[in-house]
Protein backbone atom coordinates (compact mmCIF):
# COMPACT_ATOMS: atom_id res chain seq x y z
CA UNK A 1 0.00 0.00 0.00
CA UNK A 2 1.34 3.44 -0.92
CA UNK A 3 1.55 6.10 1.80
CA UNK A 4 2.74 9.70 1.85
CA UNK A 5 5.09 10.63 4.67
CA UNK A 6 6.46 14.09 5.48
CA UNK A 7 9.42 15.38 7.44
CA UNK A 8 9.35 19.04 8.52
CA UNK A 9 12.98 20.02 8.34
CA UNK A 10 14.82 23.33 8.52
CA UNK A 11 14.11 25.51 5.50
CA UNK A 12 12.08 22.85 3.74
CA UNK A 13 9.44 20.15 4.16
CA UNK A 14 10.31 16.82 2.58
CA UNK A 15 7.54 14.51 1.37
CA UNK A 16 7.63 11.07 -0.20
CA UNK A 17 5.08 8.58 -1.46
CA UNK A 18 6.40 5.22 -0.32
CA UNK A 19 5.23 1.96 -1.85
CA UNK A 20 6.68 -1.46 -0.98
CA UNK A 21 9.44 0.25 0.98
CA UNK A 22 10.64 2.49 -1.87
CA UNK A 23 9.99 6.10 -2.84
CA UNK A 24 7.86 6.34 -5.98
CA UNK A 25 7.23 10.10 -5.77
CA UNK A 26 9.04 12.84 -3.86
CA UNK A 27 8.53 16.54 -3.19
CA UNK A 28 10.32 19.35 -1.41
CA UNK A 29 8.33 22.36 -0.23
CA UNK A 30 10.63 25.32 0.27
CA UNK A 31 10.23 27.75 3.13
CA UNK A 32 8.84 31.08 1.97
CA UNK A 33 7.31 29.75 -1.27
CA UNK A 34 3.53 30.06 -1.53
CA UNK A 35 2.18 26.59 -2.41
CA UNK A 36 0.05 25.96 -5.48
CA UNK A 37 -3.63 25.95 -4.57
CA UNK A 38 -3.30 28.89 -2.18
CA UNK A 39 -5.83 31.71 -2.63
CA UNK A 40 -4.56 35.11 -1.53
CA UNK A 41 -5.43 38.79 -1.71
CA UNK A 42 -3.57 40.86 -4.29
CA UNK A 43 -3.74 44.01 -6.40
CA UNK A 44 -3.78 44.10 -10.18
CA UNK A 45 -0.78 46.17 -11.26
CA UNK A 46 -0.93 45.46 -15.02
CA UNK A 47 -4.04 44.46 -16.98
CA UNK A 48 -1.93 42.83 -19.72
CA UNK A 49 -2.73 42.95 -23.42
CA UNK A 50 -5.45 41.33 -25.53
CA UNK A 51 -6.90 39.59 -22.51
CA UNK A 52 -3.64 37.89 -21.55
CA UNK A 53 -0.70 38.13 -19.16
CA UNK A 54 -1.94 40.43 -16.44
CA UNK A 55 0.23 40.90 -13.35
CA UNK A 56 -0.93 40.93 -9.72
CA UNK A 57 1.09 41.71 -6.58
CA UNK A 58 0.39 40.49 -3.04
CA UNK A 59 0.98 42.32 0.24
CA UNK A 60 4.52 40.88 0.53
CA UNK A 61 5.49 42.28 -2.87
CA UNK A 62 5.49 38.97 -4.77
CA UNK A 63 4.24 39.32 -8.33
CA UNK A 64 2.11 36.72 -10.13
CA UNK A 65 1.49 36.30 -13.83
CA UNK A 66 -2.16 35.75 -14.81
CA UNK A 67 -1.98 34.18 -18.32
CA UNK A 68 -5.75 34.61 -18.85
CA UNK A 69 -5.74 38.10 -17.30
CA UNK A 70 -8.59 39.14 -14.97
CA UNK A 71 -11.72 40.09 -16.90
CA UNK A 72 -13.51 43.12 -15.51
CA UNK A 73 -10.78 44.04 -13.02
CA UNK A 74 -9.19 47.43 -13.54
CA UNK A 75 -5.56 48.30 -12.93
CA UNK A 76 -4.95 49.07 -9.26
CA UNK A 77 -8.05 47.17 -8.10
CA UNK A 78 -8.01 44.47 -5.44
CA UNK A 79 -8.71 40.86 -6.34
CA UNK A 80 -8.12 37.36 -5.05
CA UNK A 81 -5.83 35.04 -6.99
CA UNK A 82 -5.25 31.28 -6.86
CA UNK A 83 -1.66 30.08 -7.31
CA UNK A 84 -1.45 27.65 -10.23
CA UNK A 85 2.32 27.21 -10.40
CA UNK A 86 4.78 28.00 -7.65
CA UNK A 87 7.97 29.98 -8.10
CA UNK A 88 10.52 27.81 -9.95
CA UNK A 89 14.20 28.03 -8.89
CA UNK A 90 16.88 27.83 -11.54
CA UNK A 91 18.28 29.70 -14.47
CA UNK A 92 15.25 31.95 -15.02
CA UNK A 93 14.51 33.57 -11.63
CA UNK A 94 12.69 36.41 -13.40
CA UNK A 95 9.78 34.10 -14.23
CA UNK A 96 6.82 34.89 -12.00
CA UNK A 97 4.61 32.25 -10.35
CA UNK A 98 1.42 31.62 -12.31
CA UNK A 99 -2.03 32.43 -10.94
CA UNK A 100 -5.61 33.09 -11.97
CA UNK A 101 -8.33 35.39 -10.70
CA UNK A 102 -10.41 33.62 -8.04
CA UNK A 103 -13.84 34.21 -6.52
CA UNK A 104 -12.96 32.19 -3.42
CA UNK A 105 -11.84 33.91 -0.24
CA UNK A 106 -8.15 33.77 0.73
CA UNK A 107 -7.22 30.35 2.09
CA UNK A 108 -4.28 28.00 2.41
CA UNK A 109 -3.51 25.32 -0.15
CA UNK A 110 -5.07 21.90 0.51
CA UNK A 111 -2.87 19.83 2.79
CA UNK A 112 -1.18 16.70 1.52
CA UNK A 113 -2.77 13.64 3.10
CA UNK A 114 0.41 12.42 4.72
CA UNK A 115 1.74 11.01 7.96
CA UNK A 116 4.36 13.20 9.61
CA UNK A 117 7.50 11.53 10.89
CA UNK A 118 9.91 12.84 13.52
CA UNK A 119 12.62 15.39 12.74
CA UNK A 120 15.42 15.21 13.50
CA UNK A 121 15.50 11.45 13.17
CA UNK A 122 17.15 9.46 15.96
CA UNK A 123 19.42 7.93 13.32
CA UNK A 124 17.82 6.61 10.14
CA UNK A 125 14.08 7.20 9.82
CA UNK A 126 11.45 5.94 7.37
CA UNK A 127 12.46 8.50 4.76
CA UNK A 128 16.06 7.28 4.87
CA UNK A 129 15.05 3.62 4.78
CA UNK A 130 12.92 4.25 1.68
CA UNK A 131 15.93 5.70 -0.19
CA UNK A 132 15.73 9.47 0.26
CA UNK A 133 19.48 9.94 -0.14
CA UNK A 134 19.42 8.03 -3.44
CA UNK A 135 16.58 10.21 -4.75
CA UNK A 136 18.46 13.36 -3.74
CA UNK A 137 21.61 12.11 -5.48
CA UNK A 138 19.58 11.62 -8.66
CA UNK A 139 18.31 15.21 -8.38
CA UNK A 140 21.80 16.50 -7.59
CA UNK A 141 23.55 14.71 -10.45
CA UNK A 142 20.78 14.26 -13.02
CA UNK A 143 21.93 10.64 -13.38
CA UNK A 144 19.67 7.63 -12.88
CA UNK A 145 21.18 4.20 -13.31
CA UNK A 146 19.29 1.02 -14.17
CA UNK A 147 20.27 -2.48 -15.28
CA UNK A 148 21.94 -2.12 -18.65
CA UNK A 149 21.72 1.64 -18.93
CA UNK A 150 21.65 5.18 -17.58
CA UNK A 151 19.33 8.17 -17.81
CA UNK A 152 20.98 11.59 -18.08
CA UNK A 153 18.46 14.28 -17.17
CA UNK A 154 19.13 17.91 -18.14
CA UNK A 155 17.18 21.10 -17.50
CA UNK A 156 16.76 23.56 -20.37
CA UNK A 157 14.59 26.71 -20.60
CA UNK A 158 12.28 24.92 -23.05
CA UNK A 159 11.93 21.47 -21.47
CA UNK A 160 13.51 18.78 -19.33
CA UNK A 161 15.51 16.41 -21.52
CA UNK A 162 16.18 12.76 -20.72
CA UNK A 163 18.87 10.93 -22.69
CA UNK A 164 18.86 7.14 -22.55
CA UNK A 165 22.16 5.33 -23.04
CA UNK A 166 23.42 1.85 -22.23
CA UNK A 167 24.80 -1.52 -23.30
CA UNK A 168 21.59 -3.40 -24.15
CA UNK A 169 20.45 -3.92 -27.72
CA UNK A 170 18.62 -0.87 -29.12
CA UNK A 171 15.17 -2.48 -28.84
CA UNK A 172 15.78 -3.71 -25.27
CA UNK A 173 17.34 -0.42 -24.19
CA UNK A 174 14.49 1.61 -25.66
CA UNK A 175 11.88 -0.30 -23.66
CA UNK A 176 13.91 -0.46 -20.45
CA UNK A 177 14.90 3.20 -20.73
CA UNK A 178 11.33 4.29 -21.40
CA UNK A 179 10.10 2.42 -18.34
CA UNK A 180 12.86 3.89 -16.16
CA UNK A 181 12.24 7.37 -17.55
CA UNK A 182 8.54 7.12 -16.67
CA UNK A 183 9.41 6.13 -13.11
CA UNK A 184 12.05 8.88 -12.80
CA UNK A 185 9.67 11.56 -14.08
CA UNK A 186 7.22 10.62 -11.35
CA UNK A 187 9.82 10.11 -8.62
CA UNK A 188 11.54 13.45 -9.23
CA UNK A 189 8.32 15.38 -9.77
CA UNK A 190 9.18 16.50 -13.31
CA UNK A 191 6.36 18.46 -14.96
CA UNK A 192 5.79 20.65 -17.98
CA UNK A 193 7.37 19.71 -21.31
CA UNK A 194 9.66 16.66 -21.24
CA UNK A 195 11.66 15.15 -24.09
CA UNK A 196 13.01 11.58 -23.99
CA UNK A 197 15.74 10.64 -26.46
CA UNK A 198 15.66 6.85 -26.83
CA UNK A 199 17.72 4.52 -29.03
CA UNK A 200 16.55 4.40 -32.62
CA UNK A 201 14.64 1.21 -33.41
CA UNK A 202 13.44 -0.07 -36.76
CA UNK A 203 9.77 -0.82 -37.27
CA UNK A 204 6.48 0.19 -35.71
CA UNK A 205 6.24 -2.66 -33.19
CA UNK A 206 9.40 -1.76 -31.19
CA UNK A 207 8.34 1.88 -31.06
CA UNK A 208 4.88 0.89 -29.83
CA UNK A 209 6.44 -1.31 -27.14
CA UNK A 210 8.49 1.67 -26.04
CA UNK A 211 5.41 3.90 -25.84
CA UNK A 212 3.58 1.23 -23.85
CA UNK A 213 6.45 1.10 -21.36
CA UNK A 214 6.01 4.84 -20.72
CA UNK A 215 2.25 4.50 -20.28
CA UNK A 216 2.65 1.63 -17.83
CA UNK A 217 5.17 3.45 -15.63
CA UNK A 218 3.93 7.06 -15.61
CA UNK A 219 0.50 7.62 -14.06
CA UNK A 220 -1.95 10.00 -15.67
CA UNK A 221 -2.48 12.86 -16.21
CA UNK A 222 -0.05 13.45 -19.09
CA UNK A 223 -0.06 13.70 -22.85
CA UNK A 224 2.60 12.35 -25.17
CA UNK A 225 3.49 12.07 -28.81
CA UNK A 226 4.19 8.81 -30.57
CA UNK A 227 7.81 7.66 -30.51
CA UNK A 228 9.20 8.92 -33.81
CA UNK A 229 11.64 7.17 -36.12
CA UNK A 230 14.59 8.78 -34.37
CA UNK A 231 13.54 7.48 -30.95
CA UNK A 232 12.28 10.82 -29.60
CA UNK A 233 9.06 11.21 -27.64
CA UNK A 234 7.66 14.34 -25.98
CA UNK A 235 5.55 14.29 -22.83
CA UNK A 236 3.59 17.14 -21.26
CA UNK A 237 2.55 16.87 -17.59
CA UNK A 238 0.86 19.36 -15.27
CA UNK A 239 3.45 21.58 -13.60
CA UNK A 240 2.34 23.10 -10.31
CA UNK A 241 5.62 23.01 -8.39
CA UNK A 242 9.35 22.71 -9.12
CA UNK A 243 10.83 19.31 -9.73
CA UNK A 244 13.57 18.08 -7.42
CA UNK A 245 16.05 18.79 -10.22
CA UNK A 246 14.91 22.42 -10.38
CA UNK A 247 15.18 22.77 -6.61
CA UNK A 248 18.70 21.31 -6.74
CA UNK A 249 19.66 23.61 -9.60
CA UNK A 250 20.05 26.22 -6.84
CA UNK A 251 22.90 24.04 -5.69
CA UNK A 252 24.33 26.04 -2.79
CA UNK A 253 20.93 26.53 -1.14
CA UNK A 254 20.00 22.88 -1.57
CA UNK A 255 23.34 21.71 -0.14
CA UNK A 256 22.91 24.09 2.80
CA UNK A 257 19.53 22.59 3.70
CA UNK A 258 20.89 19.06 3.25
CA UNK A 259 23.75 19.90 5.62
CA UNK A 260 21.25 21.16 8.20
CA UNK A 261 19.38 17.87 7.97
CA UNK A 262 22.56 15.90 8.61
CA UNK A 263 23.61 18.13 11.49
CA UNK A 264 20.20 18.14 13.20
CA UNK A 265 20.62 14.56 14.44
CA UNK A 266 23.71 15.49 16.46
CA UNK A 267 23.80 17.08 19.90
CA UNK A 268 25.66 19.89 21.60
CA UNK A 269 27.36 22.99 20.14
CA UNK A 270 28.18 22.46 16.47
CA UNK A 271 30.41 24.08 13.88
CA UNK A 272 29.23 23.72 10.28
CA UNK A 273 32.15 23.41 7.86
CA UNK A 274 31.36 23.80 4.18
CA UNK A 275 32.24 25.29 0.81
CA UNK A 276 32.10 29.13 0.82
CA UNK A 277 28.96 29.16 -1.36
CA UNK A 278 27.12 26.99 1.17
CA UNK A 279 28.36 29.09 4.10
CA UNK A 280 27.12 32.23 2.32
CA UNK A 281 23.62 30.75 2.12
CA UNK A 282 23.66 29.86 5.80
CA UNK A 283 24.84 33.35 6.72
CA UNK A 284 21.85 34.80 4.88
CA UNK A 285 19.44 32.55 6.80
CA UNK A 286 20.05 33.13 10.49
CA UNK A 287 16.64 31.64 11.31
CA UNK A 288 17.87 28.28 9.97
CA UNK A 289 20.88 28.39 12.26
CA UNK A 290 18.68 29.36 15.20
CA UNK A 291 16.41 26.39 14.46
CA UNK A 292 19.42 24.06 14.30
CA UNK A 293 20.72 25.43 17.61
CA UNK A 294 17.41 24.56 19.23
CA UNK A 295 17.54 21.06 17.77
CA UNK A 296 21.06 20.25 18.90
CA UNK A 297 20.82 22.08 22.21
CA UNK A 298 23.82 24.34 21.71
CA UNK A 299 25.24 27.19 19.70
CA UNK A 300 25.98 26.88 15.99
CA UNK A 301 28.97 28.51 14.29
CA UNK A 302 30.25 28.43 10.71
CA UNK A 303 33.61 27.81 9.06
CA UNK A 304 34.25 28.27 5.36
CA UNK A 305 36.62 25.80 3.68
CA UNK A 306 37.20 26.40 -0.06
CA UNK A 307 39.00 23.08 -0.39
CA UNK A 308 35.76 21.17 0.20
CA UNK A 309 33.46 20.05 -2.59
CA UNK A 310 30.12 21.84 -2.47
CA UNK A 311 28.45 18.60 -1.32
CA UNK A 312 31.03 17.80 1.38
CA UNK A 313 29.78 20.03 4.19
CA UNK A 314 29.80 18.49 7.66
CA UNK A 315 29.24 19.31 11.31
CA UNK A 316 31.90 19.08 13.99
CA UNK A 317 31.97 19.78 17.73
CA UNK A 318 32.36 23.52 18.39
Amino acid sequence: MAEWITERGIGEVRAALVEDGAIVEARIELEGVTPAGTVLAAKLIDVGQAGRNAIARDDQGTEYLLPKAAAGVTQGAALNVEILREAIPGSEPWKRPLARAAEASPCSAPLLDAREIAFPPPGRNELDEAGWDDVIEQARSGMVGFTGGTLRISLTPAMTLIDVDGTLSPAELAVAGAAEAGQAIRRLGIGGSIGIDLPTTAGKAPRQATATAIDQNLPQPFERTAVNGFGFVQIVRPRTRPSLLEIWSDRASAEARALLRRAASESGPRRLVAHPAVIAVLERNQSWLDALARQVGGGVTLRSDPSLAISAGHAEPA
Side-chain angles (χ1 to χ4, degrees):
M1 178 179 175
E3 179 188 27
W4 279 100
I5 58 175
T6 62
E7 180 188 86
R8 295 188 176 276
I10 300 172
E12 65 183 21
V13 176
R14 297 168 279 272
L17 180 62
V18 179
E19 184 173 13
D20 296 330
I23 295 173
V24 296
E25 189 171 341
R27 300 178 185 175
I28 291 177
E29 298 177 4
L30 298 179
E31 178 182 275
V33 173
T34 304
T38 302
V39 178
L40 47 79
K43 179 183 292 186
L44 197 68
I45 62 171
D46 188 331
V47 298
Q49 295 183 355
R52 292 185 57 80
N53 296 335
I55 300 173
R57 180 187 294 145
D58 66 17
D59 293 339
Q60 283 69 49
T62 302
E63 294 184 355
Y64 302 89
L65 180 67
L66 282 59
K68 296 184 179 180
V73 181
T74 59
Q75 187 162 320
L79 77 165
N80 292 338
V81 298
E82 178 185 355
I83 309 306
L84 301 177
R85 190 188 72 197
E86 300 169 11
I88 304 293
S91 62
E92 298 177 294
W94 52 269
K95 281 191 173 179
R96 299 176 177 91
L98 299 185
R100 66 182 174 193
E103 296 183 0
S105 300
C107 62
S108 300
L111 295 176
L112 183 66
D113 184 12
R115 177 170 56 88
E116 187 169 338
I117 61 177
F119 176 82
R124 290 175 61 82
N125 64 8
E126 292 175 67
L127 205 58
D128 299 306
E129 295 294 340
W132 182 259
D133 287 345
D134 292 337
V135 173
I136 291 304
E137 184 55 36
Q138 292 173 6
R140 178 190 277 126
S141 67
M143 304 285 284
V144 179
F146 61 96
T147 302
T150 303
L151 306 181
R152 291 175 172 82
I153 310 176
S154 305
L155 298 175
T156 80
M159 64 173 61
T160 301
L161 292 174
I162 302 176
D163 180 63
V164 179
D165 196 11
T167 58
L168 302 174
S169 70
E172 291 176 316
L173 183 59
V175 172
E180 191 65 39
Q183 295 171 20
I185 289 167
R186 182 186 186 191
R187 185 169 56 249
L188 299 171
I190 302 172
S193 185
I194 306 159
I196 307 176
D197 187 21
L198 297 154
T200 301
T201 55
K204 183 177 179 180
R207 292 199 295 271
Q208 183 56 52
T210 300
T212 299
I214 294 173
D215 295 343
Q216 290 176 341
N217 286 276
L218 181 61
Q220 289 290 337
F222 70 90
E223 297 180 7
R224 65 164 177 82
T225 64
V227 180
N228 70 20
F230 299 101
F232 190 81
V233 59
Q234 185 173 355
I235 295 171
V236 179
R237 297 184 79 215
R239 189 188 188 201
T240 59
R241 60 180 56 84
S243 68
L244 295 193
L245 288 113
E246 288 168 323
I247 286 174
W248 273 83
S249 68
D250 183 359
R251 184 67 183 274
S253 295
E255 294 290 0
R257 293 188 300 270
L259 173 56
L260 292 170
R261 183 177 191 262
R262 295 193 296 272
S265 60
E266 302 185 18
S267 61
R270 298 284 103 180
R271 180 182 299 108
L272 302 183
V273 185
H275 185 277
V278 175
I279 294 298
V281 171
L282 294 171
E283 289 174 338
R284 294 194 300 268
N285 290 276
Q286 183 60 45
S287 63
W288 295 359
L289 300 179
D290 293 341
L292 179 61
R294 291 191 295 271
Q295 293 282 8
V296 301
V300 176
T301 57
L302 305 174
R303 180 167 68 84
S304 177
D305 185 346
S307 69
L308 291 177
I310 197 169
S311 61
H314 59 274
E316 62 185 22

